[in-house]
Amino acid sequence: MRRLLRLSEGRILAEQLRLLLGNVGSSVIPALLLAVVLVWALSNDSNALGLRVWCAAVVLSKLYSAHHARRILASGITIEHAHRLVLMLLALNMVDGAAWGALAWVTLDTASVTGSILVISVLAGIAGSSMSLLAPVLPVFLVFIALECIVTATKFWQMGDPAYSALALALTLFLITLVLQARNSAIAVRAAINLRFENVELLARLRDETMKVQDAHREAVLANLAKSKFLAAASHDLRQPIHALGLFLEVLARSELTATQRTVLGSARSVSEASAGMLNTLLDFSRIEAGVVDAQVLPFHLQPLLHKIENELAPQANAKGLIYRTRETHVALQSDPALVELILRNLVSNAIRYSERGGVLVACRTRGNQTRLEVWDTGIGIDALQHQEIFREFHQLGNVERDRSKGLGLGLAIADGLARKLGHELSLSSIPGRGSVFRLTLPNARVPVISDELETTHTFVQRLDIRVLVIDDDEAVRAGMLQLLHDWGCKCEAVESIEEALISARTHRPDIVISDFRLRKQHTGAQAIAALREEFGKDLPALLITGDTAPERLRDARASGIPLLHKPVAPSQLHRRLASILADMDK
């Protein structure tokens, strides 16, 4: 009780006062009506004046209390003025309690038995109702109830009637009961206010943490966007010279060279192909991010694909002294063979890259209507804590020095992204120091396989008797394209802008247009081709070549509907595409 009598700390006390003052307004009208009814019911010749004075005192006390409460609530309860307000309420309720207690002095001497019962009932009811109204600030209630009971009990003792004396004792017990109930109510009110403040603080902290998380997420998104833009710009700028280099090396390879020169040329081609491979890895990852990878699901036999990858990657394993094995299979699968090939190529390349002894095994197991394609290696293995991390982009194990021979750390990210695109499960089991096995689960073919169309190495010997218009803003690329196309038997013009392309085409109408996607002055190859087709017909064959890896540019290029090749373009790939267009023109 002593602790409850101590006023709460600032903000809790302010809430307690706000609750108490809010209760005052609801008690005014009932109290005024009750006072008037008592005057009407108890008034007689002996007490009329005193009862009217009492009624006026109660009415004035209640009206002032209501006015005071409304004014304080309107102006707001500040923590600094809370204790001063408590003192004011103590004074007001001392007066109010004494006024109600005075009812016994005014009426009991002249009242009938029925009137006395009415007075005692009213005083008990006032005491009980004050408990629920004033208990939020316990000292205020105690002052009110003490003054009411003391004034009333004094009158009972003064009357000298044993019945009234007993009633005074009962009133004392009633007072104790009300105080205990008020104590419990005060505890509940304080706990509720504390809980509300804790909830408010919790919500504020939650709001702060949410804002921090949102800020961190926004920073991560901006950082990722900046990374993507940097990679796209760097990739585009690097693709231009590497693309031109490939063209010049192809022209040089078709020249008469000494044995030493051909050896040097072979080394130069290897370096160029390695650089192109890294850039193509970036492109594969960017295409997945851009959402421009479309799955062409069809039934196909797995074994030709396994043979193709073995023919291409087994020499890398042999060069490291690894044994490369592929188990024969007759299974037919239902998926996109090109994307499955890309997934498998990345998994096998990763296995070879991280194995220094032993070998690599590619096999499959059929269970029901599914086949699990497995790539086993005897490499460094992967700790269980890293099983999720290795599928993040640019994450590499054991390559703190960033050895470029170990790739860019995108192979598994690409494999995981393509597997999710196809709806296939890609899982990993590994023992550190002993090796790993990656498993790709694919559905079996639902219909018979008519034919498999895996791309094979293209040897181009066909001369191309066509007129080609090349549009590219890079001088080295234009020079390389001119020499290579002339060597293939093409008549070729190379320009750098849409305006020059229109002038050249009006002089010599091209059979096909080959344009870089990104041109100067924010123009695109799609715009250049559209301008040429508007003047020379919508059936003018065209081909876009781009070095961009930015997702938005890849989407724009794809949306143009024009066949698209990505720099650096292998000369064989370009020759094959031109030969295909020439075959379509002859039909």
Side-chain angles (χ1 to χ4, degrees):
M1 178 64 76
R2 185 177 302 171
R3 184 172 64 86
L4 284 173
L5 289 176
R6 290 200 302 267
L7 294 178
S8 305
E9 53 99 359
R11 62 176 185 171
I12 295 180
L13 178 59
E15 287 300 314
Q16 290 174 310
L17 289 169
R18 189 174 289 110
L19 183 60
L20 186 151
L21 293 174
N23 293 335
V24 170
S26 64
S27 68
V28 172
I29 293 178
L32 296 182
L33 292 175
L34 179 61
V36 172
V37 169
L38 288 173
V39 171
W40 171 76
L42 300 174
S43 181
N44 53 50
D45 293 338
S46 302
N47 65 13
L49 179 60
L51 198 58
R52 289 185 178 91
V53 172
W54 171 84
C55 181
V58 170
V59 169
L60 289 174
S61 174
K62 278 296 178 185
L63 290 177
Y64 182 78
S65 294
H67 169 73
H68 177 259
R70 185 178 301 170
R71 181 170 56 84
I72 295 300
L73 290 174
S75 61
I77 302 174
T78 62
I79 295 176
E80 295 78 11
H81 298 147
H83 286 81
R84 187 185 307 171
L85 181 56
V86 170
L87 294 177
M88 183 66 180
L89 290 173
L90 288 172
L92 289 174
N93 282 277
M94 285 177 66
V95 173
D96 197 33
W100 281 104
L103 179 63
W105 287 85
V106 174
T107 59
L108 289 181
D109 288 329
T110 58
S112 63
V113 175
T114 305
S116 298
I117 294 173
L118 175 61
V119 170
I120 294 170
S121 300
V122 167
L123 292 175
I126 291 296
S129 65
S130 67
M131 189 270 294
S132 61
L133 295 174
L134 303 177
V137 183
L138 188 59
V140 174
F141 166 72
L142 294 179
V143 165
F144 175 87
I145 198 66
L147 264 293
E148 181 191 357
C149 289
I150 289 172
V151 173
T152 302
T154 302
K155 179 61 180 176
F156 288 167
W157 285 109
Q158 185 266 339
M159 293 184 70
D161 187 330
Y164 278 106
S165 298
L167 194 58
L169 292 176
L171 183 62
T172 303
L173 295 176
F174 180 61
L175 172 63
I176 294 172
T177 302
L178 286 179
V179 170
L180 292 176
Q181 290 180 356
R183 169 183 171 274
N184 293 335
S185 179
I187 291 173
V189 167
R190 185 177 297 184
I193 293 174
N194 267 319
L195 180 60
R196 192 178 75 173
F197 278 123
E198 289 174 2
N199 288 339
V200 169
E201 291 172 355
L202 180 61
L203 287 174
R205 287 198 299 269
L206 182 60
R207 198 160 37 242
D208 291 341
E209 292 300 321
T210 301
M211 291 180 64
K212 289 179 182 178
V213 171
Q214 289 175 344
D215 290 341
H217 176 70
R218 193 179 303 111
E219 291 177 3
V221 169
L222 291 175
N224 190 59
L225 181 61
K227 176 204 72 175
S228 297
K229 287 182 176 179
F230 169 76
L231 287 175
S235 176
H236 177 270
D237 293 342
L238 288 171
R239 284 173 183 275
Q240 294 291 91
I242 292 177
H243 176 61
L245 176 62
L247 300 177
F248 286 127
L249 289 175
E250 183 59 33
V251 172
L252 185 60
R254 298 172 68 84
S255 306
E256 293 184 5
L257 301 174
T258 65
T260 302
Q261 289 172 332
R262 290 208 171 272
T263 301
V264 174
L265 176 62
S267 299
R269 274 182 144 176
S270 297
V271 172
S272 176
E273 289 170 0
S275 301
M278 288 188 177
L279 290 174
N280 285 331
T281 300
L282 282 173
L283 173 63
D284 291 334
F285 181 71
S286 297
R287 290 175 64 209
I288 295 172
E289 280 197 327
V292 297
V293 176
D294 285 333
Q296 304 295 325
V297 177
L298 50 87
F300 67 97
H301 284 118
L302 178 61
Q303 190 57 47
L305 187 151
L306 298 181
H307 277 155
K308 179 183 179 183
I309 292 180
E310 181 175 5
N311 290 335
E312 293 181 12
L313 298 182
Q316 296 180 20
N318 295 337
K320 295 184 67 174
L322 302 173
I323 300 173
Y324 187 109
R325 290 288 183 270
T326 301
R327 286 184 180 169
E328 296 284 334
T329 178
H330 299 289
V331 69
L333 304 176
Q334 185 80 16
S335 186
D336 184 317
L339 298 186
V340 171
E341 177 186 349
L342 187 54
I343 295 173
L344 185 58
R345 186 186 305 279
N346 278 293
L347 295 179
V348 173
S349 296
N350 192 72
I352 295 173
R353 183 176 296 121
Y354 286 97
S355 297
E356 298 299 332
R357 57 179 177 75
V360 174
L361 171 66
V362 181
C364 65
R365 304 172 188 268
T366 299
R367 294 289 185 274
N369 59 357
Q370 291 185 323
T371 293
R372 194 165 61 187
L373 185 57
E374 300 178 342
V375 178
W376 296 75
D377 68 61
T378 55
I380 61 175
I382 303 167
D383 187 88
L385 297 176
Q386 293 285 333
H387 281 195
Q388 295 297 323
E389 295 296 312
I390 61 169
F391 291 104
R392 289 193 300 108
E393 62 268 24
F394 305 107
H395 184 83
Q396 290 182 300
L397 299 176
N399 191 19
V400 294
E401 70 279 8
R402 305 304 298 176
D403 181 0
R404 67 179 179 85
S405 67
K406 294 183 179 181
L408 297 172
L410 286 175
L412 293 180
I414 292 171
D416 182 59
L418 291 175
R420 285 187 282 106
K421 174 72 176 179
L422 292 168
H424 302 332
E425 180 187 358
L426 179 60
S427 60
L428 163 66
S429 299
S430 184
I431 301 176
R434 296 183 61 181
S436 306
V437 53
F438 288 87
R439 297 181 176 91
L440 179 66
T441 304
L442 304 101
N444 294 338
R446 297 185 292 270
V447 295
V449 180
I450 297 176
S451 64
D452 291 315
E453 298 181 357
L454 291 177
E455 183 181 351
T456 57
T457 303
H458 179 76
T459 303
F460 48 93
V461 294
Q462 176 187 3
R463 288 182 62 81
L464 305 174
D465 186 16
I466 54 176
R467 181 175 291 278
V468 182
L469 174 59
V470 175
I471 310 173
D472 200 301
D473 57 2
D474 188 287
E475 184 178 355
V477 173
R478 292 198 303 273
M481 288 288 282
L482 279 172
Q483 292 191 40
L484 183 62
L485 291 170
H486 283 151
D487 197 41
W488 289 347
C490 299
K491 301 178 182 66
C492 185
E493 299 288 337
V495 298
E496 65 174 346
S497 67
I498 297 177
E499 295 79 10
E500 292 180 4
L502 289 170
I503 294 172
S504 175
R506 288 165 188 157
T507 304
H508 300 289
R509 188 187 189 283
D511 296 314
I512 183 173
V513 178
I514 302 176
S515 178
D516 187 20
F517 182 71
R518 188 197 296 186
L519 302 175
R520 299 190 190 280
K521 300 179 181 179
Q522 303 299 315
H523 291 156
T524 67
Q527 293 171 334
I529 292 169
L532 289 166
R533 283 177 170 176
E534 185 176 352
E535 187 163 338
F536 297 99
K538 294 182 179 180
D539 59 345
L540 177 64
L543 186 62
L544 278 176
I545 299 179
T546 183
D548 272 304
T549 57
E552 63 275 9
R553 291 190 181 273
L554 289 174
R555 284 191 288 266
D556 291 343
R558 182 171 177 268
S560 69
I562 302 169
L564 181 67
L565 296 177
H566 295 277
K567 295 179 181 178
V569 179
S572 60
Q573 184 183 17
L574 179 61
H575 187 279
R576 184 167 54 250
R577 185 59 65 93
L578 291 177
S580 174
I581 293 173
L582 181 59
D584 291 338
M585 292 168 57
D586 291 339
K587 290 180 181 179

